[in-house]
Amino acid sequence: MRFISINPALTRLERLLLSVFALIFVIGAFIRFPDSGFRGLIMTVFNFLHFPVFMLLYFIGQRCFIFTLPPRFSSALAARLTLFAPLLMCWVIAIFVELTQPLLQRSATWSDLMISGSGAFLGFWLLYLIHLNRMQPKPRIKAALLTVLFISAFSAISVYLLRPIYAAGQILALKHRVFPLLSTHELPHSPLHWFPLPQRDPQYKNDQTVLSVVPCPLALNTSFDAEPAPKHCIRVDPAAQSWSGLGQIFGVDTWRGYEKLEIFLSTDQDQIISLRIDDASSTHRHQDRFNREFELKSGLNHLSIPLKNLRKNSNNPQALNLSHIRKIFLFTVPSKTPIPFYLYRIYLH
């Protein structure tokens, strides 16, 4: 006797829908998305989709598979198995998906596992309510209470998971609105643009780059597009390691039609800072992107870089594709005593 078997009552349309869902599930769970301004939004949406997808996956498991027990077990236990077995199956799938993420250069997180489990559990809960109402056609306090609790839980989880999607969309909309100013650095916008470098390096758990928005230590006597000089800037406290600084990923705005990249920074001590710019064809290889070191003097520094000079290294003098600029990084050289620096303004001119 088989414990689990395919439901022979599935229609051709149901089998087709299951195949399409399985394909979408594999793409979402195991395909790595390329870096772009939309990658953060895409990944945020997929994090939310763990919730409804695993709720749907529970219903599919309950419909697609038949779980049976030997005759010596009661029919009531078999009915409970039909409800609980797909829930266990969903948890097994969720654990498997997270365990395979590091193999695909993606992060395995407890939060994704809990979101997936919550979706599967709420699917089980909803099916239990339907089963309960069929068994008790007339309204019952227990069924009514469980229904109210289910609606409350579903609404609360949905709102909580949708907030990052709204924030990610706000980032892209704000970047497009302020372009060609690549970051305003004014509260509360700065945290929406930049992220610290490196990201999630387990080798340096206790030594991470810290970004903070602070009042500018020096006055910036310049303006762009009739905007006043910034009152706030981003303070970068580098970690004692390589490639420590801050970065930004761009969306769909093109850099064509502009002549220069203008950057205003300050530092308390002389130091070397590196600028990296990637286009859509750049890879992790050094020769596939723009890399250049600049010497910062104590005080305010102005870097003005002609866009026509944005070329890959001497072994690959190809110019960057200004229509598809994807990343910009500012980072310090390795040092046992890293020196903070301040980013005032960065824009295209």
Side-chain angles (χ1 to χ4, degrees):
M1 179 179 182
R2 291 190 298 176
F3 170 73
I4 182 173
S5 58
I6 302 295
N7 185 0
L10 290 177
T11 65
R12 180 178 299 179
L13 178 60
E14 286 177 326
R15 293 175 187 272
L16 176 62
L17 291 176
L18 288 176
S19 300
V20 172
F21 177 82
L23 178 63
I24 295 174
F25 181 84
V26 169
I27 292 175
F30 302 110
I31 299 300
R32 176 172 173 80
F33 296 97
D35 286 325
S36 72
F38 293 103
R39 185 173 187 270
L41 180 59
I42 292 172
M43 295 307 299
T44 305
V45 170
F46 266 89
N47 287 340
F48 164 75
L49 288 178
H50 279 75
F51 176 57
V53 162
F54 272 82
M55 178 180 284
L56 179 60
L57 190 63
Y58 173 82
F59 294 133
I60 290 176
Q62 204 276 336
R63 168 65 179 162
C64 187
F65 299 104
I66 297 177
F67 301 92
T68 53
L69 289 175
R72 64 177 180 273
F73 293 98
S74 65
S75 58
L77 181 59
R80 291 190 181 94
L81 177 66
T82 303
L83 288 174
F84 281 99
L87 180 61
L88 178 61
M89 179 191 70
C90 287
W91 271 100
V92 171
I93 293 175
I95 293 172
F96 172 77
V97 168
E98 293 307 312
L99 289 177
T100 57
Q101 296 301 289
L103 303 177
L104 304 166
Q105 296 182 341
R106 287 170 56 172
S107 300
T109 62
W110 285 105
S111 60
D112 285 352
L113 183 61
M114 297 308 297
I115 293 171
S116 302
S118 298
F121 178 73
L122 286 178
F124 158 77
W125 193 350
L126 181 60
L127 206 64
Y128 173 72
L129 288 175
I130 295 173
H131 176 74
L132 188 64
N133 285 322
R134 285 176 179 173
M135 297 296 293
Q136 302 175 357
K138 295 182 179 180
R140 294 290 188 273
I141 295 177
K142 179 181 179 181
L145 180 61
L146 288 176
T147 302
V148 171
L149 289 176
F150 171 83
I151 294 174
S152 301
F154 181 85
S155 301
I157 293 174
S158 298
V159 170
Y160 176 77
L161 295 176
L162 284 170
R163 287 179 62 189
I165 297 178
Y166 170 77
Q170 185 183 24
I171 292 173
L172 290 178
L174 180 63
K175 284 184 176 183
H176 181 72
R177 183 171 65 84
V178 302
F179 187 83
L181 200 61
L182 303 185
S183 185
T184 62
H185 303 173
E186 295 293 336
L187 291 170
H189 302 321
S190 299
L192 300 179
H193 291 274
W194 298 95
F195 54 85
L197 299 172
Q199 292 181 287
R200 305 188 191 94
D201 192 338
Q203 185 178 356
Y204 301 99
K205 288 183 178 180
N206 300 320
D207 187 21
Q208 295 289 335
T209 304
V210 177
L211 305 184
S212 54
V213 180
V214 299
C216 294
L218 299 172
L220 180 59
N221 297 319
T222 186
S223 62
F224 174 71
D225 197 23
E227 290 195 18
K231 296 180 180 178
H232 295 87
C233 59
I234 297 181
R235 175 187 168 108
V236 183
D237 289 282
Q241 55 180 318
S242 301
W243 330 126
S244 180
L246 76 170
Q248 182 177 166
I249 297 178
F250 298 108
V252 295
D253 294 303
T254 176
W255 287 22
R256 291 196 180 276
Y258 300 94
E259 295 182 357
K260 295 181 179 180
L261 174 65
E262 310 283 357
I263 306 175
F264 291 88
L265 308 121
S266 74
T267 178
D268 296 331
Q269 303 176 40
D270 294 356
Q271 64 170 309
I272 301 296
I273 194 166
S274 296
L275 172 65
R276 166 184 165 181
I277 302 176
D278 291 22
D279 64 9
S281 63
S282 298
T283 67
H284 294 292
R285 299 189 304 171
H286 187 273
Q287 62 266 31
D288 287 338
R289 60 198 187 218
F290 173 85
N291 277 91
R292 184 178 298 177
E293 290 186 347
F294 296 89
E295 184 178 353
L296 299 186
K297 298 295 185 180
S298 177
L300 189 62
N301 294 261
H302 175 207
L303 307 180
S304 183
I305 306 165
L307 296 186
K308 65 181 181 181
N309 292 344
L310 294 183
R311 297 181 177 274
K312 299 172 183 181
N313 70 12
S314 57
N315 295 326
N316 183 11
Q318 179 186 358
L320 291 184
N321 185 350
L322 297 180
S323 295
H324 296 91
I325 299 297
R326 286 294 174 257
K327 299 178 185 176
I328 185 169
F329 293 163
L330 285 164
F331 52 92
T332 60
V333 297
S335 173
K336 294 182 179 179
T337 56
I339 305 168
F341 66 91
Y342 301 83
L343 179 58
Y344 286 65
R345 176 169 284 171
I346 176 170
Y347 59 87
L348 300 172
H349 181 59

